[in-house]
Amino acid sequence: LLELILALGVVGFIVVISLGAIRLGTSTQEIGYSKIDTFQRLRFIENLIAQKIKSIYPVFIFPDESIFNSKKFKNNPKRFLAFEGTSDSIRFVTFSAPLTSQGKSPWMHETTFYNGEHPESGKSGIIMAERTITSDHKTKHVFNNSDQRRYFLLAENVAYLKFRYYQIKELSS
């Protein structure tokens, strides 16, 4: 009887240690999957931003004018690059396909990346906004404040988003 009690105590002790190791392994696996998911989301966001930026072609706009008016482009030397960048946001015109392209893609669209609040859901994180610019929108202006954008929450609960820019100085000729 004493040997049986001793054997059951040893088996119980081994089972408790084994269950603790399995629980530790499971929690470590969950933490690992969580980190993998986070890094995959960051890689997706990085690739998306890189793809959009690689598809930038310098589009020049005029104050209070549509970019499709080529006569103004030739007559007015004062023009601005359709690009805005701050330390926590970037806004530009790109020729890459929109995130939700269905069928024939528009030939260009305005894209904005920023860290803030999603206007529809109220969740905070990295937001991407897209607005299509086509030749049918001759009355619309690039970088206007119309609310025809589609907003996408790319990552939730992001502490900060930081962009850095190279500053090019104009060389005197």
Side-chain angles (χ1 to χ4, degrees), residues 1 28-29 43 58 62 66 68 73 87 99 102 122 138:
L1 184 63
T28 303
Q29 183 181 22
R43 190 175 312 119
F62 301 96
S66 170
F68 301 102
F73 185 85
S87 62
L99 191 60
Q102 298 170 346
K138 290 183 181 181

Side-chain angles (χ1 to χ4, degrees), residues 64-97:
D64 303 324
E65 292 295 330
S66 170
I67 63 168
F68 301 102
N69 194 345
S70 61
K71 291 178 185 176
K72 288 283 188 182
F73 185 85
K74 292 176 183 174
N75 296 336
N76 188 353
K78 185 91 171 165
R79 58 188 181 158
F80 300 99
L81 185 63
F83 179 89
E84 291 177 352
T86 65
S87 62
D88 61 350
S89 70
I90 187 169
R91 185 176 179 188
F92 52 87
V93 174
T94 183
F95 291 87
S96 68

Side-chain angles (χ1 to χ4, degrees), residues 70-163:
S70 61
K71 291 178 185 176
K72 288 283 188 182
F73 185 85
K74 292 176 183 174
N75 296 336
N76 188 353
K78 185 91 171 165
R79 58 188 181 158
F80 300 99
L81 185 63
F83 179 89
E84 291 177 352
T86 65
S87 62
D88 61 350
S89 70
I90 187 169
R91 185 176 179 188
F92 52 87
V93 174
T94 183
F95 291 87
S96 68
L99 191 60
T100 59
S101 66
Q102 298 170 346
K104 186 180 174 187
S105 296
W107 67 283
M108 76 175 176
H109 62 279
E110 173 190 332
T111 302
T112 306
F113 291 97
Y114 65 95
N115 188 21
E117 190 174 301
H118 192 281
E120 296 161 3
S121 68
K123 295 180 179 179
S124 64
I126 297 177
I127 309 292
M128 182 182 81
E130 290 184 324
R131 183 177 68 88
T132 302
I133 303 169
T134 63
S135 57
D136 298 337
H137 296 109
K138 290 183 181 181
T139 59
K140 307 268 190 268
H141 305 293
V142 175
F143 288 5
N144 65 7
N145 291 326
S146 70
D147 209 7
Q148 298 173 353
R149 294 183 182 95
R150 291 179 307 273
Y151 293 90
F152 304 97
L153 179 64
L154 300 178
E156 273 189 86
N157 302 325
V158 176
Y160 67 94
L161 178 67
K162 187 174 184 178
F163 292 103

